[in-house]
Amino acid sequence: MPDFTATIPGFATEEPRIIPLVYQPDSAHWFAAVRHLPNAIWLDSGHPGSSYGRFDIIAAAPQCLLETRAANTCIRYCDGRTDESAQDPFYLLKQLLPVNQLFEHANCHLPFIGGALGYFGYDLGRRLENMPNLALDDIALPEMSVGIYPWAIVQDHKQQESWLVINESLSQKIGGAYNFLEIEQLCAAQAKNPVFHDLKQALKSDDKSFKISDFKSNLNVSNYRSALAKIQDYIRAGDCYQVNFAQRFSAEFSGDPLIAYRVLRDALPSPFSGFMQLEAGAVLSLSPERFIQVRGSEVETKPIKGTIKRGITPEEDAANAGWLQNSLKNRAENVMIVDLLRNDLSKHCTHVRVPKLCELQTFANVHHLVSTVTGELNASASAIDVLRDAFPGGSITGAPKIRAMEIIEELEPTRRSLYCGSLGYISADGQMDTSIAIRTLVCDGDKIHCWGGGGIIADSETDQEYRESIAKVKVLMDTLEREFIAD
């Protein structure tokens, strides 16, 4: 493995170095080049299968890594130093990533010039609000795993361009030295590698494999109905208006999760996808939902509420889409969450608006109602401030948020881990884009988990909600079981 602590001569300026690379329509080619390095991450726009995304970001070997478990965050540097802290994890991230929110540079067209990449698990919300401890905590992954990466490969699928971005200034601010020359040589060598131009053939000849057992739910139909009845009792009592309730599906697996991810991204191309290689597991996310994006002073969130499966025939598909657009129940779910997110953005934004309400978006497996909420970031605030004070996302908790989270803790038998948290980046120039981690699988030891859920309101029909919770992740489970079921 390269020595990333080696000293590299040269003077670091505020401007990142931008080195053109060979553009690849499938970013899996570039991820294959760096995947062997520690903590490799690929934020994946789903191209070419998804028409909604544009940029892919790939990086590995962070200069420092923050991992939060319960009340403690461990900070590990690539030169061997370690620190521990009980401070707010978002505050620690602000300390380690000194973002200049209004920094203008020659490469503002790039979404990421080095910075933070990783995930913020749903259960990180316990660091922000006092929550009861009722659900079983049986997934050993950290609540937060975020690295500070002073370099990245960025692919622009709209312009069909690719770059290696090196931010020596960020590296020096973190402290210690970083061997960027190794990264440059790795990228240069990969572009000349014949395998680089025939990745599918290379994967077929790879001796790695992936196997999985059948998925099993942590709730039977009777348990699910009882939980929904309890939620509707709380709604009638005035405790809440909406609760996002989910069931978990788990299986045993062996082999390389990246093989599974590549098959899943073909089956369900999604604009906020991502793959993370962790020390003791992996994250395979096929999310369609943006949580929060920050571009300069412009802030945007795009909550999804309202879902129906795709039809088998064009006529049935169009009928399903029309039904969803005219469903008062689904529109009511969406509007409740829009109101919650307007309040969340207002903590750090002015001119909060809703330019699009209940817009239809179509994906491989379902139709969704998607709204857009925007705001203008206050001069005193940063992207991390907005993320922290809107976390976890309202679309996957309910309204009011804290009471909904308490009910989720009471009625879901197991903790959510990363599910319904967020995956994304925070660039050193203040730009940010994060997802809501739905349609997401987590590998922990020899177990793989995914979740399906939905917003429950007073008018919800239990059997329909149960079917919808399965439909949202059925394509993931069916694809893995069909392709990789163990003999």
Side-chain angles (χ1 to χ4, degrees), residues 293-304:
Q293 180 190 62
V294 177
R295 290 282 179 270
S297 63
E298 297 177 0
V299 180
E300 178 185 87
T301 182
K302 294 180 74 71
I304 290 176

Side-chain angles (χ1 to χ4, degrees), residues 38-40 62 65 67 69 76 119 141-142 145 276-283 443-445:
N39 298 100
L65 179 68
E67 291 188 327
R69 299 177 188 274
R76 291 183 288 156
Y119 76 74
L141 301 183
S145 181
M276 287 180 65
Q277 186 65 58
L278 308 173
E279 286 187 4
V283 173
C443 295
D444 175 33

Side-chain angles (χ1 to χ4, degrees), residues 61-84:
Q63 191 160 352
C64 72
L65 179 68
L66 296 84
E67 291 188 327
T68 299
R69 299 177 188 274
N72 186 67
T73 299
C74 178
I75 306 168
R76 291 183 288 156
Y77 297 85
C78 66
D79 60 7
R81 292 175 293 143
T82 61
D83 289 320
E84 292 194 3

Side-chain angles (χ1 to χ4, degrees), residues 84-362:
E84 292 194 3
S85 176
Q87 288 186 302
D88 182 330
F90 292 94
Y91 176 76
L92 293 174
L93 186 56
K94 285 184 71 173
Q95 287 184 311
L96 286 164
L97 184 63
V99 168
N100 184 349
Q101 196 68 46
L102 298 178
F103 173 49
E104 294 186 4
H105 53 90
N107 299 288
C108 288
H109 63 288
L110 296 176
F112 186 79
I113 60 166
L117 295 164
Y119 76 74
F120 305 84
Y122 173 87
D123 291 310
L124 191 65
R126 295 174 177 279
R127 296 299 305 273
L128 308 176
E129 304 291 347
N130 290 321
M131 288 287 126
N133 291 296
L134 301 173
L136 177 65
D137 185 10
D138 62 348
I139 295 178
L141 301 183
E143 284 92 71
M144 181 182 83
S145 181
V146 174
I148 307 296
Y149 295 79
W151 68 272
I153 296 168
V154 179
Q155 287 228 118
D156 181 346
H157 294 296
K158 181 178 179 180
Q159 299 296 330
Q160 297 188 356
E161 294 180 292
S162 183
W163 306 272
L164 171 62
V165 180
I166 291 177
N167 194 325
E168 296 178 33
S169 175
L170 172 61
S171 177
Q172 290 189 358
K173 289 174 183 176
I174 296 171
Y178 195 93
N179 194 344
F180 292 108
L181 182 59
E182 293 284 358
I183 300 298
E184 293 182 60
Q185 292 174 339
L186 187 64
C187 290
Q190 181 71 2
K192 299 175 183 178
N193 189 341
V195 170
F196 185 62
H197 303 287
D198 194 5
L199 182 64
K200 287 188 176 181
Q201 187 60 42
L203 286 174
K204 288 179 183 177
S205 63
D206 200 321
D207 60 0
K208 293 182 179 179
S209 62
F210 185 84
K211 294 293 182 184
I212 196 169
S213 66
D214 291 327
F215 280 94
K216 306 294 183 186
S217 176
N218 65 347
L219 288 171
N220 59 36
V221 178
S222 177
N223 296 147
Y224 187 92
R225 286 174 174 160
S226 295
L228 258 65
K230 185 69 172 175
I231 290 171
Q232 291 183 319
D233 285 343
Y234 281 130
I235 291 172
R236 283 190 288 269
D239 279 45
C240 54
Y241 309 106
Q242 181 178 164
V243 175
N244 185 280
F245 183 73
Q247 58 177 316
R248 189 180 83 181
F249 304 90
S250 303
E252 295 183 352
F253 85 97
S254 62
D256 183 2
L258 181 60
I259 295 173
Y261 177 72
R262 282 189 50 78
V263 171
L264 290 173
R265 74 187 293 265
D266 287 342
L268 188 61
S270 304
F272 298 98
S273 296
F275 180 87
M276 287 180 65
Q277 186 65 58
L278 308 173
E279 286 187 4
V283 173
L284 299 73
S285 186
L286 292 303
S287 175
E289 183 171 0
R290 168 173 285 149
F291 182 24
I292 297 175
Q293 180 190 62
V294 177
R295 290 282 179 270
S297 63
E298 297 177 0
V299 180
E300 178 185 87
T301 182
K302 294 180 74 71
I304 290 176
K305 268 289 164 254
T307 303
I308 192 170
K309 68 179 182 179
R310 298 291 304 274
I312 297 174
T313 65
E315 293 77 16
E316 181 186 15
D317 195 49
N320 285 0
W323 179 89
L324 181 63
Q325 287 178 294
N326 293 300
S327 167
L328 296 179
K329 178 259 184 187
N330 282 281
R331 294 180 71 88
E333 281 185 37
N334 196 294
V335 169
M336 288 180 194
I337 301 307
V338 165
D339 285 344
L340 190 159
L341 284 165
R342 288 175 61 220
N343 290 334
D344 281 347
L345 290 196
S346 294
K347 297 172 185 176
H348 296 290
C349 297
T350 57
H351 305 103
V352 176
R353 298 184 175 90
V354 185
K356 295 179 181 178
L357 185 65
C358 297
E359 180 183 40
L360 183 75
Q361 287 192 3
T362 297

